[in-house]
Amino acid sequence: MADSEGKTPVSIPAGEHSFVRRTAKNLVSGTFSGIAVCLVGHPFDTLKVRLQTQPVDRPVYKGLLDCFVKTMKWEGIGGLYKGVGSPIVGQMFFRATLFTSYYQITAFFAGKDRLHAGQRLTAPEYFLCGMFTGSVAALVEGPIDLFKSKMQIQIIRAKSGESVMYKNVFHAAYVIFKKHGIRGAYQGLPATWLRNIPANSAFFGFYELSRSMAIPEGGTIYDVSPIALLASGGTGGFLYWFLTYPTDVIKSSMQADDSNVEKRRFKSIADCIKKLYYNEGGWKRFYAGFTPCLMRSIPANATLFFVVETLRKYLPL
């Protein structure tokens, strides 16, 4: 039987359970997974955000294919990686925080007895750990998503006849911090929590459930095959988005809103839901950009978990 971090007790020296070593391993593996997921998933994310946030009355893109074609025509391959500076740096920090938080939370839930006895958590406990992780992760992910979104939608502003505000993602961060302070960087934080808490519960819960089901008879979590590990990561990532996508539309809409509080269209989450539903196409509005998001979810998150677990398995820390 494997422990709450997926390690076999017979092969782990006592010091391996120390807080410092566990944290170091989680930080390193999380950092490299952030780079990997960003390189694989950012183009899909750009298309998703643009479809989510374009004006309904003056749409720039007719659909996913049109968005891709116009992005390539107007901006080249670089357009698909618009705003990647913040995510690739931010994802390193965010994923390190995400997985460090998650594995420390699972260790807390396991307690000393179960941790040292090599017992994995129950499925409901993994889902609960994901909820707590999502709450913590929002504090880091919120600003990263905000700066990225501000850059990704600039082409929409330009094609709609509005002025372009930011030179690059770091300039966006600088301007927002300078004009609006820390509050500006956390624009849409309640909506980020609305998405993150249930989404990360599904993300980690279904990942761990799928991975446990793939343990070969008589084996441990370390014996799960690379294909099964990729499939488990893809499952967690797919269900993260499939089950909670409308909350991401709400988050993106609130983050894409004006940085100036007095000029914002949406005054609260409830106000955002009401206006998106009644003014911008009903329930279909909450699934704008759904296809590229699902297309991204499987390869990006399969890569994410594969990198994390492989590094955690072999890092000599």
Side-chain angles (χ1 to χ4, degrees), residues 18 23 50 54 76 101 170 188 238 247 276 281 302:
S18 73
T23 299
R50 288 178 173 179
Q54 67 174 336
S101 299
F170 300 106
F238 178 83
T247 61
L276 291 179

Side-chain angles (χ1 to χ4, degrees), residues 56-70:
V56 173
D57 58 334
R58 294 172 287 114
V60 176
Y61 313 108
K62 298 176 183 178
L64 173 60
L65 181 60
D66 185 56
C67 184
F68 174 76
V69 170
K70 286 180 176 176

Side-chain angles (χ1 to χ4, degrees), residues 42-287:
H42 193 79
F44 296 100
D45 188 69
T46 296
L47 300 178
K48 171 182 75 77
V49 171
R50 288 178 173 179
L51 289 170
Q52 282 181 337
T53 56
Q54 67 174 336
V56 173
D57 58 334
R58 294 172 287 114
V60 176
Y61 313 108
K62 298 176 183 178
L64 173 60
L65 181 60
D66 185 56
C67 184
F68 174 76
V69 170
K70 286 180 176 176
T71 296
M72 294 297 292
K73 179 181 178 181
W74 293 336
E75 304 167 87
I77 190 68
L80 294 174
Y81 283 91
K82 186 70 69 175
V84 75
S86 171
I88 206 163
V89 173
Q91 282 286 343
M92 293 166 64
F93 179 61
F94 165 60
R95 296 297 174 179
T97 303
L98 178 74
F99 283 100
T100 299
S101 299
Y102 175 67
Y103 286 116
Q104 295 298 351
I105 289 170
T106 59
F108 174 80
F109 269 75
K112 290 184 178 180
D113 291 339
R114 280 199 291 176
L115 191 63
H116 288 285
Q119 295 179 359
R120 281 175 61 76
L121 302 181
T122 64
E125 286 175 323
Y126 279 122
F127 280 93
L128 190 58
C129 287
M131 290 178 61
F132 282 108
T133 302
S135 179
V136 173
L139 299 175
V140 176
E141 189 175 15
I144 294 171
D145 274 359
L146 178 73
F147 305 142
K148 169 179 64 67
S149 296
K150 296 293 188 185
M151 282 302 301
Q152 288 173 324
I153 65 172
Q154 283 214 120
I155 188 65
I156 298 176
R157 293 176 58 89
K159 296 299 178 180
S160 300
E162 300 179 41
S163 61
V164 173
M165 300 177 63
Y166 311 114
K167 299 175 183 178
N168 53 53
V169 71
F170 300 106
H171 182 241
Y174 171 78
V175 171
I176 290 170
F177 268 114
K178 184 177 181 180
K179 289 186 176 181
H180 308 286
I182 191 69
R183 184 179 180 183
Y186 279 100
Q187 177 181 336
L189 179 60
T192 303
W193 272 321
L194 178 69
R195 183 200 68 178
N196 267 33
I197 293 174
N200 278 281
S201 177
F203 186 53
F204 287 107
F206 284 111
Y207 164 69
E208 295 288 3
L209 183 61
S210 299
R211 195 164 63 125
S212 294
M213 292 172 63
I215 297 175
E217 186 176 354
T220 70
I221 204 70
Y222 259 7
D223 298 316
V224 172
S225 70
I227 296 299
L229 183 57
L230 286 167
S232 297
T235 298
F238 178 83
L239 292 172
Y240 175 111
W241 292 108
F242 184 78
L243 297 176
T244 63
Y245 189 78
T247 61
D248 187 66
V249 174
I250 296 166
K251 179 196 75 70
S252 293
S253 298
M254 295 189 73
Q255 288 187 325
D257 207 353
D258 202 296
S259 295
N260 190 322
V261 176
E262 287 73 27
K263 296 181 180 180
R264 288 180 189 168
R265 294 174 56 210
F266 309 119
K267 306 304 179 185
S268 64
I269 291 175
D271 184 54
C272 181
I273 294 172
K274 180 180 178 180
K275 287 177 178 176
L276 291 179
Y277 183 83
Y278 288 107
N279 302 338
E280 300 189 14
W283 67 267
K284 291 183 179 180
R285 178 64 180 86
F286 295 95
Y287 286 90

